Amino acid sequence: MSFLFPSFLWGLLAVSVPIAIHIFNFRRTKRIYFTNVAFLKAVDTKTRSVRQIKHWLVMAARILAIVCLALAFAQPFLPAANSLAVDRRGITSLYLDNSYSMQNELNTKRYLDLATSRLSDLLGILRNVTTLQMVTNDFSSQEQGLYSAEKLRDRLTTIDLSNTPRTLEQVYRRQENLMTKHQNAGTNQLFWFSDFQKSTSGNLSGLKIDTASKLFLVPVQAVPEKNVFVDSAWLNTPFIRELQNNILFVKVSNSGKQEAKNVILKLTLDNTQASTASVNVPANGSATAKFNFNLKGKGYKKGQITFDDFPVTFDNNYYFVLNASPLIRILHIYGQKSSGNYIENVYANDSLFSVQSYSAQNIDPGLIKNSDLVILEGVDQLSGTLPQDLTDFVRNKGGSIAVVPSATPVAENYSRFLSGLGISGLSTTKTTSPAPVALAPPDRNNPFFSDVFEESVRQEINLNLPTVASVWNWSGAGQLLLSLRNGQPYLNQATSGSGKVYLFSAPFNPENGNVAQHAIFVPVMYKIAASSVRAQRTSFTFDENPIALNLNNAEANSVYKLRRNKAEIIPVQRIAGNQLLLEIPQGDQLSEGLDAGYFELVQNDKTEQIIALNHNHAESRLQYYSPDELRSIFAGQKNVAVFDKIDDDAFSTAFQQQNMGTNLWKYFLYGALFFLMIEVALIRWMK
């Protein structure tokens, strides 16, 4: 037998009080003399004998009552049959998983409600313990103290689902750090009430629990079920223009073992339904839905994909933002301008483009970084830092560059520059006045030429195409967009790093052909500019830190806020070049959680951008560790215990018998009352 509060055993010293009273009777007796006392002496002798027995019995009853009362306050208990027993004198840290996956149901009851009920039962067992700590996925400030069981029971009624998933390693570090602040006698124990979702639990095999602590895993026994969610969404092209047909692809995944048939997806743009699609999503697989839509007006458009899927509903909405007809920034670097000034003229008639022209001898590298497309025209050779600036712009910044040669380019100089971008085998023509060659008909199935030719023209075989007199040639790189009838390339598109390179074989001057005067010139240059727009990030996730946003004129000392309705938050931020890096606050950094939706990026009360934030879809993958799998993972750690099930009311009783022993204090309390009743009976009825 052990005691929870052995200091109360000092109360056993109180038995000296009845002993002293019964041994030392200080009442003075009064003598009365009679003439004949022989008969009275016999009566007195008999009475004193009975009275002495009564006094001893009363004293024994009082001593036993005091002993039982002292033992009851010391709270004796029989040690548990399990060697991994709970030490009630240490700190008990309780983790309640309130992630979105706990929204799933078992027998029409949410996992969160089921875990909360069993945790409340455990608090009932620990009702006299005052060194309790509760941790949730919020990691809030109120979790840092030690509380009584009743305090934590009150808090259980306020816990709701959290949008911040935590790995179990993060939970363990959090519990350990908080318990370190409160040194206490005894062994600490940790409890994890969770569904143990595989996609968010982290690497459990690498998690080592301190041998000075005990860990109890209480799985909800979650069952994998069908759950449909949007994995990602992307555009067919990175460029969206109003009043034109646009295509949005949506990847839909299913984490369950059953096929999801005829899932109806709805596309909403600015609160107006724009399109619908139906997909069949295989078990543990994915399917892609295609939406055709048109946009009216420029600027940011709020998009949303919605569908019906129960019982997990937190991921039934996917938010995204489209930027219709954004301004395309074009930097024109020239050495020898074409006589017709074709580059500036082709883009000047459309407000969609912003063109700046500078001589190659007077170019600011900062202008290159802030552009979408750089057109290098008529430069004989590249000098200074220009080659390195352009290479960094393409490979690292994701920009695009179009190279239009001069009439006499230096092949060695350009060969070194273009080889760094993946184009090799560059050589100039041997003749000073090459004969012009007609362009070959373009491949109409090439996505580059989509929407360029009308359907009637697409069926024609013999088209009136311009002629070209090339000044250089290359062995080939990337995708051939336009070629000459003799097989030599005229326009190539190559991918380098995260950017693109467009290479022409001849200048735009009339001496080298009439491409710039032909009808095909405008759509080709428009397509190059449109394809140079960096692919739009339609949405972000809350745990994607940092979030990178492109800004036109980022000011180093500006403070940007995220606003939703009337609520504003100021995230941790820094500016790198023309990018704003934001770190979205997590659970304990907010007064209340953030829901998925649209947020305005505000600077000086001006909305710069609109972004969409969604929850991490890892929560939507409803695959769980079973108790046997958890035992296998923690097999080498003897201080870890795993329970089989908590979906019935016998959990608290079984847990107490196996891990907390049998409480005896109530029996000693009954014993104290029993001996007090014996004392009363002896005094009242024993004459």
Side-chain angles (χ1 to χ4, degrees):
M1 185 173 66
S2 301
F3 298 93
L4 185 60
F5 302 108
S7 58
F8 279 99
L9 294 178
W10 289 102
L12 293 175
L13 296 177
V15 300
S16 60
V17 176
I19 293 175
I21 293 176
H22 284 266
I23 292 179
F24 304 101
N25 190 348
F26 298 107
R27 291 182 301 172
R28 298 182 63 181
T29 60
K30 183 178 181 180
R31 290 188 177 186
I32 301 176
Y33 294 94
F34 293 89
T35 57
N36 189 357
V37 295
F39 177 74
L40 293 176
K41 285 181 179 180
V43 175
D44 182 63
T45 301
K46 182 179 180 181
T47 304
R48 287 180 60 186
S49 176
V50 175
R51 186 183 304 152
Q52 191 174 13
I53 295 174
K54 175 181 177 180
H55 286 181
W56 284 108
L57 291 176
V58 171
M59 181 181 69
R62 290 176 177 175
I63 291 175
L64 291 174
I66 293 175
V67 169
C68 289
L69 196 60
L71 292 175
F73 276 99
Q75 293 201 26
F77 62 93
L78 295 176
N82 190 350
S83 59
L84 194 64
V86 172
D87 188 345
R88 311 185 196 201
R89 296 167 295 177
I91 296 176
T92 301
S93 182
L94 309 167
Y95 166 62
L96 175 61
D97 182 4
N98 61 333
S99 60
Y100 275 128
S101 63
M102 296 288 282
Q103 188 185 58
N104 208 347
E105 295 181 355
L106 180 65
N107 298 327
T108 69
K109 193 172 185 180
R110 291 193 312 173
Y111 291 165
L112 179 62
D113 298 331
L114 184 62
T116 301
S117 177
R118 298 302 168 253
L119 182 53
S120 179
D121 293 341
L122 179 61
L123 290 175
I125 300 174
L126 302 172
R127 55 184 170 273
N128 295 322
V129 181
T130 58
T131 55
L132 296 174
Q133 175 193 90
M134 181 179 291
V135 176
T136 65
N137 286 19
D138 297 323
F139 282 13
S140 61
S141 57
Q142 62 179 322
E143 299 174 355
Q144 300 183 20
L146 299 179
Y147 303 94
S148 64
E150 287 303 317
K151 286 283 187 181
L152 294 187
R153 268 186 164 178
D154 293 339
R155 191 185 162 206
L156 283 178
T157 60
T158 64
I159 293 178
D160 203 354
L161 295 170
S162 171
N163 60 9
T164 306
R166 307 284 186 181
T167 65
L168 292 178
E169 182 178 3
Q170 291 175 324
V171 172
Y172 174 65
R173 301 303 173 201
R174 173 77 171 182
Q175 290 178 301
E176 284 287 290
N177 292 337
L178 295 180
M179 288 191 297
T180 303
K181 298 179 181 179
H182 306 280
Q183 298 295 335
N184 204 348
T187 303
N188 297 331
Q189 43 264 331
L190 301 84
F191 288 83
W192 292 350
F193 288 80
S194 173
D195 57 3
F196 294 96
Q197 188 179 9
K198 292 183 177 180
S199 58
T200 59
S201 294
N203 182 20
L204 296 185
S205 59
L207 183 58
K208 303 301 180 183
I209 307 300
D210 189 351
T211 55
S213 300
K214 302 172 184 177
L215 175 61
F216 298 90
L217 306 183
V218 189
V220 183
Q221 280 283 47
V223 179
E225 293 186 3
K226 173 184 67 68
N227 182 45
V228 177
F229 60 95
V230 173
D231 186 279
S232 57
W234 66 95
L235 294 164
N236 184 42
T237 60
F239 181 76
I240 297 179
R241 296 204 65 171
E242 57 179 326
L243 302 178
Q244 290 187 3
N245 183 52
N246 299 283
I247 300 176
L248 177 72
F249 293 101
V250 177
K251 181 180 179 182
V252 185
S253 298
N254 177 12
S255 66
K257 295 183 178 180
Q258 297 179 355
E259 180 185 8
K261 297 182 179 180
N262 298 324
V263 179
I264 306 299
L265 304 174
K266 299 178 182 179
L267 170 63
T268 303
L269 295 173
D270 285 344
N271 298 322
T272 302
Q273 183 171 325
S275 182
T276 60
S278 175
V279 292
N280 296 323
V281 191
N284 292 318
S286 59
T288 301
K290 179 181 177 181
F291 294 93
N292 295 296
F293 65 95
N294 290 303
L295 293 178
K296 294 182 180 179
K298 298 181 180 180
Y300 291 98
K301 307 295 181 182
K302 298 178 181 179
Q304 186 177 1
I305 302 294
T306 59
F307 54 92
D308 294 329
D309 182 45
F310 295 96
V312 179
T313 60
F314 77 91
D315 52 5
N316 288 3
N317 298 295
Y318 183 85
Y319 302 91
F320 62 94
V321 173
L322 301 177
N323 188 6
S325 301
L327 186 66
I328 302 177
R329 299 162 297 181
I330 301 173
L331 178 62
H332 179 211
I333 302 176
Y334 60 87
Q336 301 171 1
K337 274 190 176 183
S338 56
S339 57
N341 202 16
Y342 300 110
I343 298 297
E344 295 181 6
N345 290 338
V346 75
Y347 295 120
N349 295 327
D350 198 325
S351 60
L352 185 65
F353 307 107
S354 171
V355 183
Q356 293 178 295
S357 295
Y358 291 91
S359 170
Q361 307 301 323
N362 187 28
I363 184 64
D364 182 3
L367 296 173
I368 298 177
K369 297 178 181 179
N370 294 325
S371 301
D372 296 309
L373 171 64
V374 175
I375 300 178
L376 195 64
E377 181 190 16
V379 180
D380 290 336
Q381 61 179 343
L382 306 178
S383 60
T385 62
L386 184 58
Q388 181 59 39
D389 293 336
L390 292 174
T391 301
D392 180 70
F393 169 69
V394 175
R395 295 187 62 85
N396 301 325
K397 299 296 189 302
S400 297
I401 177 175
V403 180
V404 182
S406 66
T408 57
V410 180
E412 295 80 4
N413 178 269
Y414 271 99
S415 180
R416 290 192 299 270
F417 167 64
L418 293 175
S419 63
L421 298 176
I423 300 177
S424 58
L426 186 71
S427 61
T428 56
T429 57
K430 298 180 180 180
T431 58
T432 55
S433 300
V437 180
L439 284 178
D443 182 7
R444 296 171 177 82
N445 295 321
N446 192 321
F448 182 85
F449 294 103
S450 62
D451 300 329
V452 171
F453 300 99
E454 294 182 358
E455 193 63 31
S456 59
V457 178
R458 290 171 63 90
Q459 304 301 325
E460 296 184 14
I461 299 177
N462 298 319
L463 296 176
N464 181 19
L465 295 173
T467 58
V468 175
S470 299
V471 299
W472 60 16
N473 192 14
W474 56 91
S475 58
Q479 182 183 14
L480 182 63
L481 299 180
L482 292 173
S483 63
L484 305 180
R485 292 188 182 273
N486 60 7
Q488 293 184 351
Y490 172 70
L491 174 60
N492 258 44
Q493 173 187 292
T495 301
S496 179
S498 55
K500 298 177 182 177
V501 179
Y502 296 90
L503 183 59
F504 290 86
S505 68
F508 293 150
N509 292 322
E511 296 82 4
N512 293 88
N514 61 343
V515 173
Q517 294 85 29
H518 194 273
I520 199 174
F521 178 69
V522 173
V524 167
M525 297 307 294
Y526 271 34
K527 279 290 185 177
I528 291 176
S531 301
S532 301
V533 177
R534 293 168 177 82
Q536 294 186 27
R537 280 296 304 271
T538 58
S539 65
F540 302 88
T541 58
F542 283 104
D543 61 343
E544 184 181 347
N545 282 327
I547 289 176
L549 302 176
N550 293 321
L551 299 178
N552 294 333
N553 298 305
E555 300 179 5
N557 297 324
S558 298
V559 177
Y560 293 87
K561 304 177 183 178
L562 289 179
R563 175 190 297 167
R564 184 176 185 182
N565 299 327
K566 295 182 179 180
E568 289 185 349
I569 59 174
I570 302 178
V572 177
Q573 55 194 270
R574 61 186 177 91
I575 294 177
N578 63 335
Q579 283 191 330
L580 174 64
L581 304 178
L582 299 178
E583 294 186 12
I584 305 300
Q586 300 300 315
D588 58 330
Q589 301 170 351
L590 294 167
S591 58
E592 57 183 25
L594 293 176
D595 293 327
Y598 310 105
F599 294 81
E600 298 176 350
L601 182 68
V602 179
Q603 193 258 337
N604 293 331
D605 290 330
K606 178 183 177 182
T607 301
E608 300 288 343
Q609 290 186 26
I610 299 178
I611 64 174
L613 289 175
N614 294 287
H615 300 301
N616 190 333
H617 55 69
E619 281 277 358
S620 301
R621 303 186 182 277
L622 304 183
Q623 304 293 331
Y624 312 98
Y625 287 109
S626 67
D628 290 336
E629 289 176 321
L630 292 174
R631 289 191 186 93
S632 176
I633 293 173
F634 292 97
Q637 303 186 57
K638 303 301 182 183
N639 57 331
V640 178
V642 181
F643 287 87
D644 282 322
K645 58 188 302 186
I646 63 168
D647 58 345
D648 54 37
D649 296 332
F651 164 73
S652 58
T653 304
F655 175 81
Q656 184 174 12
Q657 292 176 351
Q658 296 176 14
N659 300 276
M660 299 190 68
T662 304
N663 289 322
L664 301 177
W665 64 270
K666 62 176 67 175
Y667 301 107
F668 284 97
L669 183 59
Y670 296 152
L673 295 175
F674 173 75
F675 288 117
L676 289 176
M677 293 174 62
I678 292 295
E679 177 192 353
V680 172
L682 289 172
I683 295 175
R684 184 168 184 177
W685 288 297
M686 187 174 182
K687 302 298 183 181

